[in-house]
Amino acid sequence: MKKKIAILLLLVLVMTFAFAGCNMVTLDKEVDNNLVIANISYKGLTETVTKKELNDMFNTQGQLYIYYYGWSKERTYDFCADALAQQKLAKLKALDELCAMHNEKFPNDKLDPASIKVVDLLSFAEGTKPSFKNIYSDILYVDERINILESYNKQINDAIDSIVKELEKEEELNKPEEDKPEGEEDKEEPKEEIDKPAIREPRPEEDKKPDDIKSDDERKEEGTFDDRVTKLNGIKKFEIQWNIDKNEEQSKIDADKVAAGNDKDKLKEVEERQAKLNRKVKALTELDKRLKKNGKSRDSLFEELINNMVVAHYRLVVVNNNKVAIDNTVNNADSTKKDEIIKSNKTDFIISNITSNGRVDKFLPEKYEAAVKGEKPVYYHPIVNDPEKELGSAGFGFTFNILLNFNKNDAEILKQLKSKADQTGATVDMDLYESKKLEFAKRIKVNISNPNYKPDGECASGISKADLDKKNANGEYMYKDKYGYHKCDKVDCPLKPFGYDVKDSYGALLSAEEVKLIAEGYDVPVLTILKMINYDLSKIQKDTTITNPYDKQVKLREEFTKWIYKVNDDPGMFSNENARGYMVPKMGKSSFVDSYTDQARKLMGGVITDNKVTYANPTYAQGNKHFVGNYYTSEIKETATFENFMPMMAISEFGIHIIMISEMPGYYQDSNHILLDDAPFSYGRDSYTFVADSFKDEVRKYEESKVYEAEVTDLVKNYDKYVKLDKKKYESLYKD
């Protein structure tokens, strides 16, 4: 079988926790799982690949090759077996080379790669074995060790938290119902609790990119090394160190229980802490059991992280040794390099088939959509009609959504009307539903969030979060409004979740009453919100001082994003997964409600004729009409009515949707369907990088991979010398 050098670039993957229960593992099955299918040796160092490791890789990755490329199970298992063996071979070479580099630099403090092992994690807490820092400090950089420990901490804590939630649900289901005293009736919830508006997600701070990993010598020159060493020493090997912390917490609980005496409230608090600790103790035990069933342990997970980092570190060393040459290539990259990257990108979602008509490139829409949704730049976009190559028409647009919900009563009425219309199919019922939907949309009231809100902020008057529960002599809250939130005459107070001062930024567009309602933050008429959003976006769209169209896009997206955090009722728009917005296909099936899909497609260049949508393929040449940031605007009028803003919205059974095209992959193209150099790529809600800069990043990755490949060429050429693979031992996996 031809060995592909690209496989060597894969790192050992940390196995996903298997939390689901499974049947008792028999001894025969365990023996079969541990069957060694490959032995790897390199300069006296050895590794093995087990049958279970192979099957796990097939289940987590191999299925993709069968689904996307039509590979047989046999071919896929062979590929996975080779990949695992080559990953481990790469690790052995990395460990050998790194120790050799160290020994050359420190001949009096030599390291033997065969003796470097991952020590028992629990021993760190007991202090009975050498620390992780001492064993690997001569190979890995401080930043890398911090990364390993933080990654491990997160995995373990996430796993424990997940199991704790399971235990809590189980306790809730098994909890016996308490008998109510005779004559006691259910108390009606107070109105302010039922109607209490939920605080929207505050806008997160701008993401800061982590520093590039640098050598310890480079960190020392920057003057940040000591701080990082201090951070490393302060990180627990895993955050829940049960050998110490469990006993410490239990001691505190026991002491607080004695101190509480007969105080029922304090005793209840102590009991809750005890129950929480008991669940975590039980969760850790359960985690160990589940890991063991899958041939894993907490130590093995930690070891896999270290193995990953050793290979990544070796690659980084190789790259740094060739940094000058790589920089020169990047700075002088020509069209040839770009063509190579585009060709590589194209193969990600184009499959070549030999047909009776010759060689035909077939477009894989699922792969293309996955590529576009990912973070890696996509440089080739087969989204225009191209019958000769069967690429067809395909395109997507990312959309930002501002949802203004119907009030609860209206939403319930609409639900019933819609149900009746769907059941009867009668035009009169559907017309009634549509008319009521429009009527109810006009009377939507919006709670407008304070953009200055900080949950732990402090009012200018000195009131803090801790003061909100204070009451006066009459038992009334001193600093809370009717909803239980901070009431304050200072409209920009960071403790107020709703309301802010628009001052005179909207001029005569807003009445004094509207400005007052916005300052209070509650029950602002929907027409007021529509006028404000439309005004802010139109102002940017019409600004003649912004001559660069891409600058205009950035400003439009940023302004729309501000409004998402001020009035949006769609929780999905606050998710990191939707930082680029919702992806809507320009044609075919959509997972969104019809009105949302139709509006999005209009903004992507669709034209409705005879109740059918004809889809344009927007290009740069079409100008402002189809820029990213496109939405329908209305002329700003002081007497604007709800109807003035109908073109800029979609009304669904949920409420009003105001939609903006946040990104259109493949939108700015030349005749070869390649993005223009000055077009922006977006990786988040408001952060951009341009194609030219992104291309340089890709050239750098390409060159870095090339120099690393040169270092591992010997492994490929002499693969059979290092790896002994026994295919017969796993053929039952693909013959079943």
Side-chain angles (χ1 to χ4, degrees), residues 323-548:
K323 188 175 185 301
V324 174
I326 292 172
D327 287 345
N328 287 336
T329 303
V330 171
N331 294 331
N332 298 294
D334 57 19
S335 59
T336 303
K337 287 283 189 299
K338 191 170 185 177
D339 289 342
E340 290 175 354
I341 290 173
I342 291 167
K343 183 178 179 181
S344 173
N345 177 215
K346 178 180 177 181
T347 59
D348 288 340
F349 40 84
I350 302 292
I351 185 169
S352 294
N353 289 334
I354 305 298
T355 69
S356 57
N357 296 323
R359 192 178 189 85
V360 175
D361 287 341
K362 187 174 182 181
F363 174 48
L364 301 172
E366 297 90 353
K367 287 281 286 181
Y368 175 71
E369 182 178 353
V372 168
K373 281 183 176 179
E375 293 187 358
K376 184 179 178 182
V378 175
Y379 293 98
Y380 182 85
H381 297 269
I383 65 171
V384 295
N385 284 315
D386 195 352
E388 291 183 5
K389 295 196 174 184
E390 293 187 1
L391 297 183
S393 292
F396 303 90
F398 284 99
T399 56
F400 283 165
N401 174 41
I402 292 176
L403 172 63
L404 309 176
N405 274 338
F406 291 117
N407 72 51
K408 292 180 180 178
N409 291 335
D410 289 351
E412 185 58 35
I413 293 171
L414 286 174
K415 182 180 177 181
Q416 294 173 8
L417 291 175
K418 180 71 162 57
S419 177
K420 183 179 179 183
D422 290 341
Q423 289 175 10
T424 65
T427 303
V428 63
D429 289 330
M430 185 54 71
D431 288 345
L432 177 61
Y433 166 70
E434 292 294 336
S435 66
K436 284 295 181 184
K437 191 165 66 171
L438 179 58
E439 176 188 335
F440 293 167
K442 292 180 180 180
R443 66 191 197 197
I444 287 174
K445 295 291 179 70
V446 182
N447 296 318
I448 186 166
S449 292
N450 175 15
N452 306 300
Y453 174 65
K454 287 185 174 31
D456 296 317
E458 184 173 304
C459 180
S461 61
I463 304 302
S464 68
K465 185 177 180 180
D467 296 319
L468 295 184
D469 288 329
K470 290 183 179 178
K471 297 180 180 180
N472 60 23
N474 297 324
E476 300 166 332
Y477 285 109
M478 300 167 61
Y479 307 115
K480 285 184 180 180
D481 61 21
K482 63 179 181 178
Y483 294 117
Y485 296 131
H486 182 43
K487 61 181 178 183
C488 184
D489 294 334
K490 304 179 186 307
V491 290
D492 291 332
C493 169
L495 257 187
K496 262 178 64 105
F498 295 96
Y500 71 104
D501 187 3
V502 297
K503 299 182 173 60
D504 59 354
S505 55
Y506 292 93
L509 183 68
L510 300 179
S511 67
E513 179 61 25
E514 286 176 311
V515 172
K516 183 174 181 292
L517 283 170
I518 295 164
E520 292 174 353
Y522 300 121
D523 297 332
V524 180
V526 68
L527 180 56
T528 302
I529 301 299
L530 294 175
K531 286 192 296 186
M532 293 169 71
I533 295 175
N534 186 71
Y535 178 89
D536 288 341
L537 297 177
S538 296
K539 186 177 179 181
I540 296 170
Q541 193 75 294
K542 295 174 181 178
D543 189 346
T544 57
T545 65
I546 308 174
T547 56
N548 186 322

Side-chain angles (χ1 to χ4, degrees), residues 535-587:
Y535 178 89
D536 288 341
L537 297 177
S538 296
K539 186 177 179 181
I540 296 170
Q541 193 75 294
K542 295 174 181 178
D543 189 346
T544 57
T545 65
I546 308 174
T547 56
N548 186 322
Y550 305 125
D551 289 342
K552 186 166 289 189
Q553 287 184 27
V554 173
K555 288 183 180 298
L556 284 166
R557 282 169 52 100
E558 168 61 17
E559 192 60 43
F560 202 91
T561 298
K562 290 178 183 177
W563 277 104
I564 288 174
Y565 286 98
K566 283 194 284 191
V567 299
N568 168 55
D569 292 325
D570 173 11
M573 279 307 297
F574 300 120
S575 165
N576 288 333
E577 294 179 3
N578 299 318
R580 298 166 73 185
Y582 299 129
M583 181 180 255
V584 178
K586 286 173 60 181
M587 61 190 305

Side-chain angles (χ1 to χ4, degrees), residues 80-119:
C80 291
D82 269 341
L84 281 169
Q86 292 186 31
Q87 288 167 15
K88 296 195 176 189
L89 177 57
K91 188 205 82 171
L92 295 181
K93 178 178 174 64
L95 198 56
D96 179 76
E97 295 285 347
L98 291 171
C99 285
M101 291 177 191
H102 169 86
N103 295 342
E104 184 178 349
K105 189 174 180 180
F106 303 102
N108 295 324
D109 184 25
K110 291 188 176 182
L111 293 174
D112 178 6
S115 66
I116 293 182
K117 302 292 182 183
V118 178
V119 297

